[in-house]
Amino acid sequence: MRSQTVSTKLQRIAKQAKQNPNHVFTNLMHLIDVDFLHVAYDLTRKDGASGIDGMTAKEYAENLEGNLNNLLERMKSGKYFAPPVKRVWIDKEDGKQRPLGITTFEDKVVQRAVVMLLSAVYEHDFYDFSHGFRPHHSAHHALHEVRERCRLQNIQSIVDADVSGYFDNIDHELLRQFIKRRVNDGTLIRFVGKWLNAGVMDGKSLSYPVQGTPQGGVISPMLANIFLHNVLDDWFVKEVSPRMRARCFIVRYADDFIIGCESQSDANRIMEVLPKRFNRFKLTIHPQKTKLVTFAKPSYSNQFGKENETFDFLGFTHYWAKSRRGYWVIKKKTMKKRLRRSVKAIWDWCRINRHKPLPVQHRTLCQKLEGHYQYYGVTGNYKAMAKVAQRTTEAWNYWLSRRSHKSYINWDGFKRLLAKFPLSKPHVNHAI
């Protein structure tokens, strides 16, 4: 009953947004009540790390009704403040690290409630080629669209773009201006401002960035989509595409996007104007990582003496190859950097956890492999998945044999162990 009431509110907003694309919503936050927060709580992940207050989802749920009523009272009275985000660092493929923000659990609930309101409005504004962090969209939807567009539109060139530090460089004032074009609710804008200015706790150091959105926050993907919808998507549809000589397309997942062009001259024009467009909104297109790739069907490109290339998108290297029946098709394989990262992560895990009970190790390794297959299990990528499976077997054997001289396991012993604890085999989850 509670979820049905909230759903009715959101459907009413969505219907109005769809019927009147130019309508500016000025009074949305009053829709948030205890029932709304309950639904936001239900939609919030419970297994995430705790923020700076140390409170877990389990602890918050012990007095859920009281906590949500108290939260609503603070939101309505203006006494709610956004606590600083706890920063942790995770390794990138190039050896560097990128920051990840961990908000408190209660803050996640509030952010989820605001995202629900914004989604009801913006889902009818966002274009179908934007696949990042949206209901009924995924990375594999983006990958499928890239393949189909290239195949059906006779694409010859790919603009493989990279935005330098996108989440860390979003301008706060420009973001507010973009939101106000569609949602000019003063209370909602103030809440967004609280999150943007909440501060970042890195160890014992507290800082207040003047730009960017904290990666890891529930609200961040929505804000990032709103920003790029105005900077890139709407611009491409309304200004770029109509001026092109031939067919073209764009596919975006968060800040990762590629543009395909049937005409080489169109691709050159986009390459020239793209950095200027992003500079206008205080963002930078990486000059070294952004490139123009020849990606024509081989039988066509060879006629003009072009050398076909590959491009990387969402963890896969895309390339033309012959099918079993002898036809040219677009295939995907795991990017080399991603493959190395996966293998290294499993190697490190086996080293650190080699003294745990064998059933525990086996269960976790199978979970890791299944997670890898779930994403990378696409048609034509079996060889790369098999390599991860092989390296996992080798890593497990290596570190089990070095637990101690008393528990040394030779290869024959390890094969008997594998018969009892078999590791997950590669399989395709996303067939063409």
Side-chain angles (χ1 to χ4, degrees):
M1 186 66 179
R2 177 185 292 145
S3 60
Q4 185 177 357
T5 302
V6 173
S7 178
T8 301
K9 292 180 180 180
L10 296 176
Q11 287 174 8
R12 193 182 308 125
I13 298 170
K15 183 178 180 181
Q16 192 173 359
K18 183 178 182 180
Q19 291 177 344
N20 191 351
N22 296 318
H23 178 73
V24 179
F25 292 84
T26 59
N27 196 14
L28 291 178
M29 287 295 285
H30 80 283
L31 297 173
I32 295 181
D33 53 19
V34 172
D35 286 345
F36 206 100
L37 290 178
H38 263 287
V39 175
Y41 166 82
D42 292 338
L43 294 174
T44 302
R45 284 186 57 180
K46 313 297 190 297
D47 57 349
S50 58
I52 62 169
D53 62 354
M55 178 169 285
T56 63
K58 183 178 180 181
E59 292 169 340
Y60 195 84
E62 291 174 359
N63 183 26
L64 181 60
E65 201 67 35
N67 285 332
L68 292 182
N69 276 286
N70 179 268
L71 172 60
L72 181 64
E73 192 278 328
R74 284 181 283 132
M75 291 176 66
K76 296 291 186 183
S77 64
K79 295 180 181 179
Y80 182 82
F81 73 96
V85 175
K86 182 169 71 174
R87 172 170 286 176
V88 296
W89 296 87
I90 58 177
D91 294 331
K92 294 176 63 176
E93 298 161 2
D94 56 6
K96 299 179 181 179
Q97 292 184 315
R98 71 176 178 90
L100 181 67
I102 302 176
T103 59
T104 63
F105 181 77
E106 185 174 70
D107 205 42
K108 291 177 183 177
V109 174
V110 182
Q111 290 188 26
R112 177 58 61 191
V114 173
V115 166
M116 289 161 62
L117 292 173
L118 291 175
S119 294
V121 175
Y122 280 101
E123 273 304 306
H124 297 285
D125 291 359
F126 293 155
Y127 293 100
D128 287 341
F129 58 73
S130 172
H131 296 279
F133 309 107
R134 295 178 58 194
H136 313 299
H137 289 262
S138 69
H140 284 280
H141 285 114
L143 292 166
H144 176 76
E145 184 173 358
V146 168
R147 177 182 179 275
E148 291 304 295
R149 294 276 193 148
C150 288
R151 184 176 66 87
L152 297 175
Q153 296 185 1
N154 193 32
I155 296 302
Q156 307 296 310
S157 302
I158 295 289
V159 177
D160 185 3
D162 183 272
V163 185
S164 298
Y166 172 63
F167 285 90
D168 295 329
N169 291 294
I170 293 177
D171 184 87
H172 291 178
E173 185 54 37
L174 285 172
L175 176 59
R176 289 189 187 93
Q177 292 176 18
F178 289 150
I179 296 174
K180 288 180 180 179
R181 293 179 181 179
R182 198 67 159 117
V183 181
N184 197 10
D185 182 324
T187 305
L188 189 148
I189 297 296
R190 282 194 294 275
F191 268 83
V192 171
K194 289 179 181 182
W195 291 316
L196 293 176
N197 300 310
V200 176
M201 183 69 73
D202 193 347
K204 295 183 179 181
S205 175
L206 179 62
S207 60
Y208 295 90
V210 296
Q211 60 188 20
T213 62
Q215 296 187 51
V218 175
I219 193 73
S220 294
M222 172 58 71
L223 299 180
N225 271 336
I226 292 173
F227 201 86
L228 271 186
H229 172 77
N230 287 273
V231 172
L232 178 64
D233 301 353
D234 215 37
W235 169 71
F236 184 87
V237 171
K238 295 178 180 178
E239 298 185 35
V240 175
S241 186
R243 291 178 169 85
M244 297 292 100
R245 296 178 179 177
R247 290 175 292 185
C248 63
F249 74 87
I250 181 172
V251 173
R252 180 172 70 82
Y253 188 91
D255 60 326
D256 292 328
F257 68 94
I258 63 164
I259 298 173
C261 298
E262 187 178 13
S263 166
Q264 175 77 36
S265 62
D266 286 344
N268 290 331
R269 292 171 65 193
I270 292 175
M271 280 289 289
E272 182 182 352
V273 74
L274 198 61
K276 299 175 183 177
R277 174 67 181 180
F278 274 75
N279 288 340
R280 179 181 169 187
F281 298 97
K282 303 181 182 180
L283 293 173
T284 303
I285 294 293
H286 200 294
Q288 280 76 45
K289 294 182 179 180
T290 301
K291 57 184 179 178
L292 183 58
V293 176
T294 300
F295 197 72
K297 192 173 182 179
S299 57
Y300 179 88
S301 61
N302 293 341
Q303 296 176 14
F304 299 90
K306 297 179 181 178
E307 184 179 349
N308 227 3
E309 300 171 277
T310 65
F311 68 91
D312 296 330
F313 184 56
L314 298 181
F316 290 93
T317 297
H318 300 247
Y319 64 101
W320 282 98
K322 285 283 188 75
S323 68
R324 291 182 178 179
R325 295 184 178 181
Y327 300 111
W328 285 107
V329 295
I330 298 172
K331 292 188 176 183
K332 298 185 291 287
K333 62 182 178 181
T334 308
M335 287 170 52
K336 291 181 179 179
K337 287 183 179 180
R338 295 287 181 92
L339 192 62
R340 287 196 297 267
R341 186 177 68 178
S342 298
V343 169
K344 183 180 184 302
I346 289 178
W347 176 273
D348 291 340
W349 188 91
C350 289
R351 173 177 57 83
I352 295 170
N353 297 278
R354 63 186 182 274
H355 295 294
K356 289 186 175 180
L358 288 177
V360 173
Q361 293 190 48
H362 172 254
R363 182 170 61 251
T364 304
L365 286 174
C366 286
Q367 290 172 350
K368 289 180 179 294
L369 286 172
E370 285 298 328
H372 184 86
Y373 304 151
Q374 182 63 36
Y375 185 77
Y376 292 102
V378 301
T379 302
N381 195 38
Y382 187 88
K383 185 176 180 181
M385 290 191 295
K387 183 173 290 187
V388 172
Q390 179 186 348
R391 294 289 186 267
T392 300
T393 302
E394 293 171 354
W396 200 24
N397 175 38
Y398 182 89
W399 288 110
L400 283 181
S401 66
R402 282 156 179 78
R403 290 204 292 185
S404 72
H405 69 281
K406 293 182 179 179
S407 58
Y408 176 79
I409 299 178
N410 59 22
W411 178 243
D412 290 335
F414 183 69
K415 285 195 293 185
R416 290 193 295 271
L417 184 147
L418 281 180
K420 184 178 181 181
F421 297 105
L423 293 174
S424 299
K425 302 295 183 183
H427 52 86
V428 173
N429 287 295
H430 307 279
I432 297 175

